[in-house]
Every structure is written in structure tokens, then in C-alpha cells.
């Protein structure tokens, strides 16, 4: 919020309204998505996902969620919490990695205007579809292990 305001832009926080944006929000330069559980909505409205959590050494953020909404991905150097997913997204042509936030913003803006953006969207959707169902697969593995335990041992 401070960076937006410091840059001379007007700002409205999503957390400041109920279900509908107030009239003055429509004139704001930036809507700050600072509310929980709404990322799929933001991604669905976006032309590209600039994964801000990957530009500081914090480990990145879930990129499959953005890809599932058809967002081409621009990520920084810090994706160690999602290392495998990040590498697979790069290989699938659903993402690109940049060195810093300045390059990230420039590449994200360029992707929005790219004549091949539809192809980026297709690759993002295909990448997400290929990796759908991980929680279900993990639950099945856990249940299979639990079924092999002797019945006298409680499952903790």
C-alpha cells in the first residue's frame, strides 16, 4: 500500500468493502487484494501473474493456483518452497523466471501485450491440469499405508 501511494497512485483495499466495491473504488488506480481466500478471483481477472513472493528469499508461492486460472507466470529467483512445480512450469512453457522485480514487471507487462499470450494461457492451463489431484493422490497413499498397519495400533 505504501509503495502504491508513494508512487502517486490512488489505492483502495479489498478489505475495506463488503461484497461490492464502493463507488470511489472504481476510480482507483490500484485495488489491493488484501483479503483472505480470494486469490482465484484475482487470478481469474488477471492477464498474467507476477508472483511477488518469489522476489524475496521467502520461498515463493503456489504457482499452480495461478496457472489453473489461465495466468502465464512470471517468477523471481526464490521459489525453493515450490522448486519442483516452478521447474515443471518452466519446462511446460507456462512460466518464465527473471532476476529481479524490475525485470519481472517489464516482462509481465510485455506478456499482457504479447500476440502469443493465448498460447501462454493454453500452456498455463495444460500445466495446471497435468498436476491436478495431488491432495487426493496423497490421501490414497496415506490410507493405503494405514490399511497395512496391524489393527491394534491406533492411527495417529
Amino acid at each position: 500500500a505504501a509503495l502504491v501511494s508513494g508512487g502517486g497512485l490512488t489505492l483502495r483495499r479489498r478489505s475495506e468493502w463488503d461484497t461490492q466495491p464502493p463507488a470511489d473504488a472504481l476510480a482507483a488506480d490500484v485495488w489491493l487484494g488484501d483479503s483472505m481466500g480470494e486469490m482465484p478471483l484475482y487470478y481469474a481477472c488477471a492477464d498474467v501473474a507476477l508472483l511477488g513472493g518469489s522476489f524475496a528469499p521467502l520461498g515463493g508461492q503456489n504457482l499452480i493456483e495461478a496457472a489453473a486460472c489461465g495466468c502465464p507466470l512470471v517468477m523471481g529467483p526464490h521459489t525453493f518452497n515450490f522448486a519442483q512445480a516452478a521447474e515443471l512450469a518452466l519446462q511446460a512453457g507456462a512460466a518464465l523466471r527473471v532476476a529481479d522485480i524490475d525485470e519481472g514487471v517489464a516482462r509481465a507487462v510485455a506478456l499482457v501485450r504479447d500476440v502469443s499470450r493465448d498460447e501462454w494461457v493454453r500452456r498455463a492451463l495444460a500445466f495446471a491440469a497435468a498436476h491436478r489431484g495431488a491432495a487426493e493422490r496423497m490421501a490414497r497413499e496415506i490410507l493405503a499405508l494405514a490399511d497395512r498397519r496391524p489393527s491394534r495400533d491406533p492411527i495417529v
Side-chain angles (χ1 to χ4, degrees):
L3 289 172
V4 170
S5 297
L9 301 171
T10 58
L11 171 78
R12 283 307 305 247
R13 293 174 178 266
R14 170 61 184 97
S15 62
E16 292 176 342
W17 64 75
D18 292 320
T19 58
Q20 296 293 320
D24 68 333
L26 298 176
D29 296 312
V30 175
W31 284 6
L32 178 61
D34 62 347
S35 49
M36 295 297 292
E38 295 184 336
M39 284 309 295
L41 170 68
Y42 301 137
Y43 287 138
C45 294
D47 292 320
V48 64
L50 178 63
L51 302 177
S54 65
F55 290 96
L58 304 172
Q61 64 199 72
N62 183 348
L63 52 106
I64 296 175
E65 185 178 36
C69 293
C71 287
L73 310 164
V74 178
M75 57 189 171
H78 304 287
T79 55
F80 55 85
N81 287 336
F82 299 92
Q84 183 179 18
E87 185 56 37
L88 291 171
L90 288 167
Q91 290 172 11
L96 55 93
R97 186 180 303 276
V98 296
D100 56 44
I101 191 65
D102 291 334
E103 183 184 3
V105 170
R107 295 294 299 269
V109 169
L111 264 176
V112 169
R113 298 177 178 148
D114 192 326
V115 296
S116 64
R117 196 183 86 71
D118 288 347
E119 183 59 25
W120 279 92
V121 169
R122 187 195 64 70
R123 291 192 305 258
L125 290 169
F127 164 73
H131 299 286
R132 202 167 261 129
E136 183 179 337
R137 286 190 302 276
M138 184 59 77
R140 286 185 185 166
E141 290 290 326
I142 291 169
L143 289 173
L145 288 172
D147 287 344
R148 288 186 235 151
R149 293 176 57 99
S151 61
R152 65 183 185 282
D153 289 345
I155 298 174
V156 181

